[in-house]
Amino acid sequence: MTVMQSKAVSPVAHLTAEDVEEIGRRLDAIRADVVAARGASDAAYIRRVIDVQRKLELSSRGVLLFSLFPPAWFVGTVGLSVAKILENMEIGHNVMHGQWDWMRDPKIHSTTWEWDNASPSEQWKHSHNELHHTYTNVIGRDNDLGYGIMRVDEDQRWYPIYLAQPLWNFLNACFFEYGIAAYDLELGKNLRSKKRRQSPEFKARTRQVLKKIRSQVTKDYVVHPLLSGPSFLHTLGANATANLVRNLWTHSVIMCGHFPEGVQTFERHSIDGETRGEWYLRQMLGSANISGGRAMHIMTGNLSYQIEHHLFPDLPSNRYQEIAPQVQGIFEEYGLTYTTGPLPKQVASAWSKVIRLALPNR
């Protein structure tokens, strides 16, 4: 096996190479079954979610035209917050993964969708779909793991700067859409080198991000407040609050997917010569789920089934709950830990790890 964690006790030491490849074959079979079964009911689901989200956003923005009145401000802000979360999580994230490309609907397609976020979709698809999902939890290659600003494993060398990582993480959560845009630009790597800073490609990508940010700011902080007339400041505050709520929620959900205790990280060299079965195994060990009801799953974009999502990122999100028992059964059969728990527990676990790794090893 090439997938191996630098831990005192490896969670995969009991598996043979044949076991790993059999896990891969069984997961391939689950995927093939879903691909064969997807159809009209799946298409109706995503179209219904998009319809609900757009009506909720439109009605909430309409109510906020009268946000001078506290009840209107509260109702409109809550509705807009939910609409933004739905658009980013269950719709935007999953559409851009290509989960609905099989419908051949140009309006719901990964090549045409632009989401309500500061990060341009093209750049996000590169950093997320191509890099994060390929190098899941591989230290030094998966920038989603700590976003390049945090220590994420005990084996990483500790520096005093890491004492501030709980603060960095909190600030990143509050301004998450802008943090993602900066991360997609690979600012840390590109700004360190004069050659990279001055490259035409980096400059073009920077202009693209700034253009998208300008569009988002104009929509939420200029046009909509101006339409509110005397409610200008109240509507501006409502939009800022809705964006903050969306940022905090999405950051929490994503933290729960890869950072709680029990989730494994991998050395850079561990994926050299990685087989299909070993890639599957890394996704299984490097992800964690959130337990909850149907509303929770929809509001997380079904990333509450992060394990299933990382195994099958291009399957329709509404199918993850259906296949989760089969996936969990494979975990149990092969003696692997299926990491899951309610949202408060997973958030607390992730933050505990952030704080623990901010300190030097004992």
Side-chain angles (χ1 to χ4, degrees), residues 40 42-52 103-105 108:
D42 301 289
Y45 169 80
I46 189 59
R47 289 191 172 107
R48 183 167 61 251
V49 172
I50 292 172
D51 182 61
V52 168
M103 294 165 51
R104 299 176 185 249
D105 183 341
I108 311 175

Side-chain angles (χ1 to χ4, degrees), residues 75-282:
V75 171
T77 302
V78 169
L80 187 57
S81 299
V82 172
K84 283 178 172 286
I85 290 170
L86 280 174
E87 197 286 329
N88 276 192
M89 304 297 281
E90 181 67 336
I91 303 172
H93 171 275
N94 295 332
V95 170
M96 291 190 296
H97 256 299
Q99 293 182 8
W100 308 100
D101 285 3
W102 57 272
M103 294 165 51
R104 299 176 185 249
D105 183 341
K107 295 180 180 179
I108 311 175
H109 200 277
S110 62
T111 59
T112 59
W113 193 273
E114 188 59 64
W115 63 342
D116 180 20
N117 197 283
S119 179
S121 61
E122 284 303 316
Q123 294 193 29
W124 181 88
K125 284 185 289 187
H126 170 70
S127 64
H128 186 81
N129 297 357
E130 297 176 22
L131 299 182
H132 168 57
H133 276 268
T134 299
Y135 304 114
T136 305
N137 279 35
V138 177
I139 296 173
R141 302 194 76 173
D142 179 9
N143 285 335
D144 268 32
L145 192 62
Y147 301 106
I149 59 174
M150 295 194 299
R151 182 172 180 243
V152 296
D153 189 88
E154 291 86 349
D155 290 333
Q156 282 182 274
R157 186 174 179 179
W158 181 85
Y159 296 98
I161 188 68
Y162 288 127
L163 290 170
Q165 79 174 25
L167 175 61
W168 306 145
N169 195 43
F170 174 71
L171 293 175
N172 187 38
C174 293
F175 301 97
F176 195 47
E177 64 174 316
Y178 300 104
I180 291 296
Y183 152 67
D184 291 347
L185 274 174
E186 299 180 282
L187 280 183
K189 180 175 71 175
N190 285 315
L191 293 180
R192 280 197 298 267
S193 163
K194 182 178 180 181
K195 182 178 180 181
R196 285 182 175 275
R197 285 198 307 271
Q198 296 181 347
S199 72
E201 180 189 2
F202 176 64
K203 289 182 178 180
R205 289 169 59 208
T206 300
R207 286 193 297 270
Q208 186 182 28
V209 169
L210 292 176
K211 180 180 178 182
K212 183 69 188 295
I213 290 175
R214 183 167 60 250
S215 173
Q216 293 294 111
V217 169
T218 300
K219 177 188 68 176
D220 282 344
Y221 302 125
V222 179
V223 175
H224 188 206
L226 282 175
L227 291 174
S228 302
S231 298
F232 177 91
L233 291 178
H234 297 81
T235 300
L236 188 149
N239 277 278
T241 301
N243 283 324
L244 175 63
V245 170
R246 183 269 314 277
N247 289 341
L248 292 173
W249 176 262
T250 54
H251 179 271
S252 295
V253 169
I254 292 168
M255 280 266 294
C256 290
H258 295 293
F259 222 64
E261 298 291 350
V263 173
Q264 303 298 320
T265 54
F266 305 84
E267 294 180 334
R268 180 187 285 261
H269 68 79
S270 70
I271 63 172
D272 294 341
E274 188 177 60
T275 67
R276 176 71 168 171
E278 289 169 343
W279 180 86
Y280 271 134
L281 187 60
R282 178 160 54 86

Side-chain angles (χ1 to χ4, degrees), residues 13 38 59 66 101 109 135 146 179 182 196 263 301 312 314 334 338:
R38 66 192 179 187
S59 60
F66 309 96
D101 285 3
H109 200 277
Y135 304 114
R196 285 182 175 275
V263 173
F312 314 113
D314 61 345
Y334 286 91
Y338 188 83

